[in-house]
Each structure stands twice: as C-alpha cells, then as structure tokens.
Amino acid sequence: MSFSVKEFYQFDVFCQIVESGGITNAEYVTGLSQPSLSAILAKLEKN
C-alpha cells in the first residue's frame, strides 16, 4: 500500500491533532485554522 504526499500530509495533521489534545490546541501547533483542520479530518474520514 502506498500513500500520496497529500494523504501523508493529512495523516500527519491528524496525528498532530491527536497529540496536541484536540483541534483548538492543534491550531497553535500546525498554524492552520480550525476550518482547515476540520476539512482535513473530513477528507480522511472519506478515505
């Protein structure tokens, strides 16, 4: 099984959300907004 760069990035962001304890904390860690983080999670759920 291979992953695209985009899929790897989405998974990395997911891991950062989990490690930071939630989307609110992940905003500070990743520099991404809450809507952007939510969109990434939604795309992961589809896959």
Side-chain angles (χ1 to χ4, degrees):
M1 177 184 251
S2 64
F3 296 98
S4 69
V5 173
K6 183 178 178 181
E7 291 170 324
F8 183 78
Y9 173 74
Q10 291 170 340
F11 185 70
D12 183 52
V13 170
F14 170 76
C15 290
Q16 291 181 43
I17 291 169
V18 172
E19 289 174 358
S20 64
I23 289 180
T24 302
N25 293 335
E27 288 183 81
Y28 300 105
V29 174
T30 63
L32 299 172
S33 67
Q34 183 273 329
S36 296
L37 293 170
S38 294
I40 289 170
L41 287 178
K43 288 176 186 173
L44 279 173
E45 288 176 345
K46 282 185 173 182
N47 296 334

